[in-house]
Amino acid sequence: MSSDEKKPQGGARDESTTGTRQHRLLGALSFALLAAWLLMLAPLPYSLLSGLAGLIALVLLIPLIVTAFREGRRGMAIFSAVVGVPATLLIVLGTVTSLVFYGPTVQREECVRTAITERAKSQCAQEAQESMTDWITGLLGG
């Protein structure tokens, strides 16, 4: 009986360790997602760090999904995979897009920052769109 009593305690310790690890991963994931969101609101070049935070969130999300599947929490795992993975990939894709269009985006941000009226801000948006179109056309050799 003595050996049977020790098994649940050891199993309880393993569950506690796994639970603690999951809580740490979940806390780190929440922090990474919050950081990514706040960094996306920041001006360039700081907003480019949101892609790094998004990659960190994706790396933290994968073990949480795998653990949820293993523990039989399929609904949570599927929801996390269907919502979490695309969300983190969109954050990274947004950063890549900002890198590709860095020049025109910086020009637009500077223009909007100095614009006083709404008309001037809309003019900035129009000029940025034309600048991006010209940049793509030049890139493709047209």
Side-chain angles (χ1 to χ4, degrees), residues 50-108:
S50 66
L52 178 62
L55 281 175
I56 291 170
L58 182 63
V59 167
L60 294 170
L61 183 63
I62 304 271
L64 286 170
I65 292 170
V66 170
T67 304
F69 266 119
R70 285 183 184 160
E71 293 181 354
R73 294 181 286 163
R74 303 213 187 291
M76 186 176 93
I78 291 170
F79 179 78
S80 298
V82 168
V83 174
V85 172
T88 54
L89 291 175
L90 282 173
I91 292 169
V92 173
L93 181 64
T95 301
V96 170
T97 304
S98 292
L99 276 171
V100 169
F101 295 107
Y102 187 80
T105 305
V106 168
Q107 290 174 353
R108 182 188 56 84

Side-chain angles (χ1 to χ4, degrees), residues 27-39 53-54 57-58 61 84 87-88 91:
L29 174 65
S30 300
F31 181 75
L33 288 172
L34 179 64
W37 177 64
L38 291 173
L39 286 166
L58 182 63
L61 183 63
T88 54
I91 292 169

